[in-house]
Amino acid sequence: MGTSHINKYALACALLASTNSILLGYDIGVMSGAVLFIKDNLKISSTQVEILVGSLNVCSLIGSFASGKTSDWIGRRYTIVLAAGTFFIGALLMGFATNFGYLMAGRVVAGIGVGYSLMIAPVYTAELSPAMTRGLLTSLPEVFITLGILLGYIVNYALSGLPENVNWRLMVGLAAVPAVGIAAGVMFMPESPRWLVMKGRVDEAKRVLNKTSDSENEAHLRLEEITKAALDAVTWDPRAGGWRGQGVWKELLTPSPALRRVLIAAIGINFFMQASGNDAVIYYTPEVFKAAGIRHRKQLVGVTIIMGLAKTSFVLVSAFFLDKFGRRPLLLLGSIGMVISLAGLGLGSKFLEHSSDKPTWAIALCVVAVCADVSFFSIGLGPITWVYTSEIFPMRLRAQGSGLAVSVNRLVSGVVSMTFLTISSKITFGGMFFVLSGVMTVATVFFYFFLPETKGKSLEEMGALFERKDTEGSKAIEMSERE
């Protein structure tokens, strides 16, 4: 599948929507270095550091939980503006913080913005993209998260020489700049054609589909498919335009067997994305390397930049091959790679804990293993979680179903990043990496059995993937009854 077939308009819209994710990435990357200076400057304890770092994830839970209902109500596009605006306010509050309380207030506001953007960018992109390039376009948010992380590392490196009361403020406050650009750029984007159809605005949806499809015929077929799905999904007359996402929660909480399978797949992949400890490994890499014997601050930040480069290059590889090889092979490859990398990191760390002279090979093993771990994450779980979550839900449940799955993602991320240092101090970093390697072994088995391939299917065809087992199961029961 060459990139020549990518619809330029759909690509431009996907890029604009996904830039929202650069804000989260930047925050993750910049916080890993800024925290070293905040700790010294504001004289805060390591428990406060954990709360400060993890609070963004816990508060993003609020945003991702609310984002489904919001985007069903005001539309996908304005939800993206809302996300950027909220993050902008949070970044300014953090930049001007005079004490720990103010800094936390900024984290809370920025967190809500992050929660909104994490859910909305993949859903908007999935709803706008043609089926054959949806994998690439919907994995763009993860590409931007990764670019943001790298940008955060570079800003850390560049500003770390400034006085301590200035450098971290600039690091966290600079995030307000891209937020303004994103909110402005969104004004030139169209609304999601599927949301427009659900609102009964079929003519507008047709115009958007004409621009995002390769031919008028393709646009016509897509519109027919979407309109049929909308009529099946909603019992009212869609031309009245009265749908605002009502009744969705009732359905999600009492699901049919097929929807239950969709929920297990979406919540499972989001759970394992964060239970893999990837966020914590990135947030606390400086701590891990300090324990490994790399002491110099500039060296610590340098190693994190190498890690950021590895992560960025592999997420791009994954994005371009998602539509060619499919979701499952890349997901399984990434997960197995993480099992091995985390085990290697555990071994290296364990060895360093028990040796006084810190041999170079063990430090090298740790650096290579961390880079391998984040690279395999970027091939599999990183981009595929967003792609998969945003494409498997039926149309009327998509925004709120994705919001629910991403809320689980944020909750687990918060728990992991807030407890990582505490648990590591009890069982050592080496022990922690062995635990994470075990978690990824379970994840690999889960993906193998519960996640069907979705490559090349239109969003309206997804239901059949999760229903097929029902019909097979009922046939088997009928046959056994006959016997």
Side-chain angles (χ1 to χ4, degrees):
M1 161 85 235
T3 45
S4 55
H5 296 298
I6 294 176
N7 177 291
K8 304 270 194 310
Y9 187 74
L11 176 64
C13 295
L15 281 167
L16 266 175
S18 306
T19 40
N20 233 335
S21 306
I22 221 166
L23 301 174
L24 170 68
Y26 178 78
D27 185 89
I28 293 173
V30 91
M31 243 1 216
S32 71
V35 120
L36 300 169
F37 303 106
I38 292 171
K39 198 175 174 182
D40 295 346
N41 185 227
L42 296 181
K43 309 278 184 284
I44 59 176
S45 67
S46 28
T47 308
Q48 284 177 304
V49 167
E50 274 187 326
I51 292 168
L52 185 67
V53 170
S55 59
L56 184 93
N57 295 322
V58 176
C59 299
S60 64
L61 180 71
I62 304 165
S64 50
F65 210 67
S67 58
K69 191 78 176 161
T70 309
S71 69
D72 278 344
W73 198 18
I74 64 172
R76 317 302 195 219
R77 212 174 64 144
Y78 287 119
T79 307
I80 294 175
V81 178
L82 182 69
T86 314
F87 193 90
F88 173 76
I89 296 166
L92 285 184
L93 280 172
M94 288 193 288
F96 291 111
T98 46
N99 57 30
F100 183 69
Y102 269 116
L103 197 56
M104 279 301 295
R107 291 295 276 171
V108 170
V109 177
I112 294 170
V114 162
Y116 266 102
S117 66
L118 276 180
M119 189 298 282
I120 195 60
V123 165
Y124 172 83
T125 310
E127 292 194 334
L128 195 82
S129 310
M132 296 316 288
T133 50
R134 193 177 57 244
L136 166 63
L137 298 179
T138 316
S139 58
L140 287 173
E142 181 67 19
V143 174
F144 277 98
I145 288 177
T146 309
L147 283 172
I149 291 173
L150 185 59
L151 194 66
Y153 288 158
I154 292 167
V155 168
N156 272 347
Y157 194 74
L159 301 179
S160 56
L162 292 172
E164 209 160 71
N165 59 338
V166 177
N167 59 10
W168 67 265
R169 291 175 196 284
L170 275 175
M171 288 171 187
V172 295
L174 277 173
V177 180
V180 179
I182 290 160
V186 170
M187 293 306 175
F188 299 100
M189 280 160 46
E191 185 46 87
S192 150
R194 286 171 171 85
W195 184 80
L196 290 169
V197 169
M198 294 291 268
K199 282 287 193 185
R201 291 153 62 177
V202 180
D203 289 345
E204 287 176 61
K206 192 176 174 183
R207 282 200 292 277
V208 178
L209 286 167
N210 278 335
K211 286 182 176 176
T212 57
S213 304
D214 289 334
S215 63
E216 256 184 57
N217 191 29
E218 186 193 332
H220 182 67
L221 287 171
R222 283 174 73 191
L223 183 65
E224 267 186 1
E225 224 178 11
I226 294 167
T227 316
K228 183 181 178 302
L231 285 166
D232 291 346
V234 188
T235 45
W236 48 269
D237 173 6
R239 287 174 291 283
W243 187 79
R244 288 180 175 177
Q246 56 271 55
V248 168
W249 275 102
K250 189 179 165 199
E251 212 170 323
L252 288 172
L253 295 172
T254 52
S256 64
L259 180 59
R260 190 177 305 122
R261 266 196 288 279
V262 170
L263 282 166
I264 288 170
I267 289 173
I269 194 170
N270 276 280
F271 172 83
F272 283 117
M273 179 189 191
Q274 297 303 345
S276 72
N278 188 72
D279 277 18
V281 170
I282 292 173
Y283 274 128
Y284 299 120
T285 301
E287 300 282 341
V288 176
F289 285 138
K290 227 191 266 178
I294 301 174
R295 291 268 178 257
H296 197 268
R297 262 197 194 168
K298 211 88 174 167
Q299 274 180 331
L300 282 176
V301 182
V303 172
T304 50
I305 290 181
I306 296 168
M307 187 174 85
L309 285 167
K311 202 170 157 48
T312 309
S313 36
F314 280 100
V315 79
L316 289 168
V317 170
S318 178
F320 281 106
F321 287 111
L322 259 179
D323 292 306
K324 186 176 181 185
F325 295 127
R327 320 317 189 219
R328 269 175 68 90
L330 289 176
L331 186 60
L332 293 168
L333 168 71
S335 303
I336 294 165
M338 285 178 78
V339 171
I340 298 164
S341 312
L342 286 162
L345 191 53
L347 276 173
S349 304
K350 274 284 176 213
F351 193 88
L352 288 166
E353 283 155 25
H354 298 297
S355 77
S356 50
D357 56 345
K358 311 280 183 207
T360 315
W361 70 263
I363 293 179
L365 174 65
C366 286
V367 173
V368 171
V370 163
C371 290
D373 178 49
V374 297
S375 301
F376 280 117
F377 178 85
S378 291
I379 287 172
L381 264 175
I384 294 169
T385 301
W386 307 120
V387 175
Y388 211 84
T389 307
S390 60
E391 66 186 6
I392 61 176
F393 282 100
M395 179 153 68
R396 71 189 176 289
L397 308 178
R398 185 168 302 121
Q400 294 182 49
S402 298
L404 173 67
V406 174
S407 302
V408 171
N409 180 311
R410 298 289 81 210
L411 180 66
V412 179
S413 178
V415 170
V416 172
S417 51
M418 281 173 134
T419 56
F420 186 81
L421 289 181
T422 311
I423 297 173
S424 298
S425 65
K426 301 273 190 297
I427 62 170
T428 73
F429 280 127
M432 188 68 175
F433 295 131
F434 283 129
V435 169
L436 294 176
S437 180
V439 169
M440 285 314 298
T441 309
V442 177
T444 308
V445 175
F446 174 84
F447 301 149
Y448 185 81
F449 288 107
F450 289 98
L451 270 62
E453 183 55 74
T454 54
K455 176 184 84 163
K457 300 259 187 290
S458 77
L459 295 182
E460 284 65 38
E461 289 168 335
M462 291 293 165
L465 282 180
F466 290 88
E467 268 161 17
R468 227 165 269 156
K469 290 180 189 164
D470 276 354
T471 50
E472 284 165 16
S474 53
K475 275 179 198 159
I477 293 164
E478 272 172 36
M479 283 174 79
S480 62
E481 279 171 357
R482 278 187 209 144
E483 285 162 14

